[in-house]
Amino acid sequence: MVTNFNNLKIFAANSHPELAYSIANHLGVPPGCSETILFSDGEIGVSIFETVRGCDVFIVQSTCAPVNNNLMELLIMADAFKRASAGRITAVIPYFGYARQDRKAKARDPISAKLVADLITVAGVDRILTMDLHAPQIQGFFNIPLDHLAGSSILAPYFINKFKNTMDNTVVVSPDLGSVARARVFAQRCKVPLAMIDKRRTDTDVSEVCNIIGDVKDKTVILLDDVIDTAGTICNSAKAVIETGGAKEVYVCATHGVLSGEAVKRLKASVVKEFILLDTIPIPVEKRLDNLTVLSAAKLFSDAIKCVYEEKSISFLYSH
């Protein structure tokens, strides 16, 4: 059956238009016509150049750097569509910024992830479509429906195909306790053992490895995380599984490549054989290392959007 997408609109905000256009291309619909401008005082202005009355509108916007500008642009676009009488507004947020501020780590800390969830809802968004929230419980911060896609449904098949003849000598390693649940699901998909690294954090962006729990000796290790930001944790973990655990080689994969601060410098100097990221965040040319592979999430997002538009379950996408 050919789906009639006459009432579906995909609009690209400025954080990652390439991904938005790729999603629209998979769906076979033209991207919506809009413009975002920055006034001289830093204010953001949005213009919509086509009717959206009664339409199912999807705004594609990762709230990556510059985080506050991209977040504000999403809020203003949602408000514009709401005032233009859009039938339903879905914010497609491949990477959800502020997700790491999901709890009070010390006295008088804000819970910024909850604040951002409230702002998005108040702006007029009816539904959220995102991928690999840093903390899955953030889904409960929203009082509107949220579909939470898994990057492992793209990453796992890549490794299953890459190591199809050597999977019995491969192990998935979680770089810390917080990523164990995600790594366990990934290991089950790949049908390989799971190990983890016990570490302690000595500063905001500094951690040290205390122990490796599990057998990685002479194994091909896949280190899995949701976000690579400054790359300190993942590079220390890769070094530990080689020098302490005796692993043969290390591959690193993550859904979101923030790559801030000294990340590129650390990745270049690391023992990792290959880095695999999804394109939830645009990665500029100067950060694309020779051993970096970027996989597209556009097909998965387009499948999810099609299900949302047709009011169908997206459950099958988790095991797709």
Side-chain angles (χ1 to χ4, degrees):
M1 182 182 76
V2 178
T3 301
N4 184 345
F5 287 139
N6 289 342
N7 223 32
L8 186 151
K9 304 277 188 179
I10 305 290
F11 283 88
N14 282 332
S15 72
H16 201 346
E18 295 84 2
L19 178 59
Y21 297 153
S22 185
I23 291 171
N25 184 58
H26 278 291
L27 289 166
V29 300
C33 190
S34 65
E35 181 184 42
T36 302
I37 60 172
L38 195 65
F39 294 107
S40 58
D41 64 350
E43 290 184 6
I44 294 170
V46 170
S47 297
I48 311 298
F49 299 120
E50 60 184 89
T51 182
V52 294
R53 185 176 296 273
C55 292
D56 210 344
V57 171
F58 293 82
I59 309 169
V60 182
Q61 176 81 323
S62 277
T63 49
C64 52
V67 180
N68 297 329
N69 277 13
N70 287 333
L71 174 60
M72 198 65 198
E73 183 183 359
L74 173 61
L75 299 177
I76 293 173
M77 287 187 77
D79 184 73
F81 289 122
K82 179 178 68 174
R83 296 178 187 278
S85 301
R88 179 172 61 178
I89 302 168
T90 300
V92 181
I93 311 174
Y95 170 71
F96 183 80
Y98 284 102
R100 286 172 285 181
Q101 298 186 45
D102 64 309
R103 67 195 186 282
K104 291 182 70 171
K106 61 182 186 299
R108 296 174 294 281
D109 271 1
I111 304 180
S112 303
K114 168 59 176 168
L115 173 61
V116 171
D118 289 343
L119 288 170
I120 291 172
T121 304
V122 170
V125 172
D126 300 298
R127 191 180 196 98
I128 302 292
L129 178 58
T130 188
M131 177 177 280
D132 280 346
L133 292 168
H134 183 66
Q137 62 267 26
I138 291 174
Q139 296 173 76
F141 290 178
F142 289 90
N143 294 321
I144 56 177
L146 184 148
D147 293 310
H148 188 209
L149 300 177
S152 61
S153 59
I154 302 171
L155 293 167
Y158 175 83
F159 283 104
I160 290 170
N161 181 64
K162 187 178 186 71
F163 299 139
K164 56 187 173 184
N165 298 321
T166 58
M167 267 299 185
D168 56 348
N169 199 44
T170 301
V171 59
V172 170
V173 175
S174 171
D176 53 36
L177 182 60
S179 297
V180 168
R182 183 181 295 106
R184 182 179 292 113
V185 172
F186 188 85
Q188 289 171 346
R189 282 179 179 270
C190 296
K191 298 180 180 178
V192 299
L194 173 67
M196 70 162 288
I197 292 175
D198 177 28
K199 70 172 187 181
R200 64 179 177 184
R201 190 167 290 281
T202 56
D203 203 347
T204 304
D205 293 320
V206 180
S207 61
E208 66 178 34
V209 173
C210 299
N211 195 20
I212 299 173
I213 304 170
D215 180 22
V216 298
K217 186 172 177 58
D218 298 325
K219 303 284 188 180
T220 295
V221 164
I222 303 172
L223 269 169
L224 172 75
D225 213 342
D226 62 320
V227 178
I228 297 180
D229 188 354
T230 59
T233 293
I234 209 74
C235 288
N236 287 342
S237 299
K239 183 179 179 182
V241 295
I242 292 285
E243 295 183 359
T244 305
K248 181 176 69 173
E249 57 186 4
V250 184
Y251 292 78
V252 165
C253 66
T255 303
H256 312 296
V258 176
L259 306 182
S260 67
E262 297 288 307
V264 173
K265 181 179 178 181
R266 287 171 178 153
L267 295 177
K268 280 183 178 178
S270 75
V271 297
V272 177
K273 188 167 185 179
E274 183 182 7
F275 297 95
I276 299 91
L277 298 173
L278 302 189
D279 62 347
T280 57
I281 296 173
I283 301 174
V285 174
E286 62 270 18
K287 293 185 179 182
R288 291 193 175 238
L289 307 176
D290 291 340
N291 60 342
L292 172 65
T293 299
V294 180
L295 305 178
S296 177
K299 180 63 167 60
L300 184 60
F301 275 105
S302 68
D303 288 344
I305 288 172
K306 185 174 184 288
C307 289
V308 170
Y309 179 73
E310 296 177 339
E311 302 290 351
K312 293 181 178 178
S313 171
I314 70 165
S315 298
F316 77 96
L317 295 177
Y318 296 101
S319 58
H320 185 51

